[in-house]
Amino acid sequence: MAGLSISALLIRFTLGGLAVVVSTLVARKLGEKAGGIFAAFPAVYLAALLTASLDFGGTELISYSILLSKGAIVGMAINIVIAIIAGYLLPRKGWKSGLVQAVGCWFIISIIVVVFTSY
């Protein structure tokens, strides 16, 4: 993260925030299912790919893009699992407790994936 430019970070922040705003507006207008579909939009991943050219070039850019894409596949798979877990927990535990437990599950699953993939 120390090697990223300020402009790249600002673009990522803006696109990620914009995705949250759009998904909220869509959920209010079209319902929670449509909002959930928009909430799953991989804005951070796309912003990272778009801004990679600001920080890298040539073969380094290609290598970074491949590495980022492989990580995004794993991250998106984890998001699917967490969405299923949250869909189970939130109605049963309430939104506060269910959300905390779902985020806890995300953290544990993510740590496990990092440990097993870092070897």
Side-chain angles (χ1 to χ4, degrees):
M1 189 81 145
L4 296 177
S5 67
I6 296 296
S7 58
L9 291 174
L10 288 173
I11 291 170
R12 292 173 187 183
F13 177 79
T14 302
L15 290 176
L18 186 61
V20 171
V21 169
V22 168
S23 66
T24 302
L25 293 174
V26 168
R28 287 185 181 168
K29 291 287 184 188
L30 302 176
E32 63 274 354
K33 288 184 182 178
I37 291 169
F38 274 85
F41 180 74
V44 175
Y45 166 70
L46 292 176
L49 279 178
L50 289 172
T51 59
S53 63
L54 298 174
D55 300 316
F56 303 101
T59 58
E60 188 179 31
L61 175 60
I62 294 169
S63 297
Y64 178 79
S65 297
I66 291 169
L67 184 64
L68 182 67
S69 296
K70 287 180 181 179
I73 291 170
V74 174
M76 289 176 196
I78 292 171
N79 285 345
I80 291 169
V81 171
I82 296 306
I84 293 168
I85 291 171
Y88 175 81
L89 290 174
L90 292 173
R92 288 166 180 76
K93 303 289 184 173
W95 75 269
K96 289 179 185 176
S97 180
L99 183 61
V100 168
Q101 290 177 19
V103 170
C105 289
W106 168 82
F107 184 74
I108 291 167
I109 291 170
S110 296
I111 293 296
I112 291 168
V113 168
V114 168
V115 167
F116 282 110
T117 58
S118 63
Y119 292 112

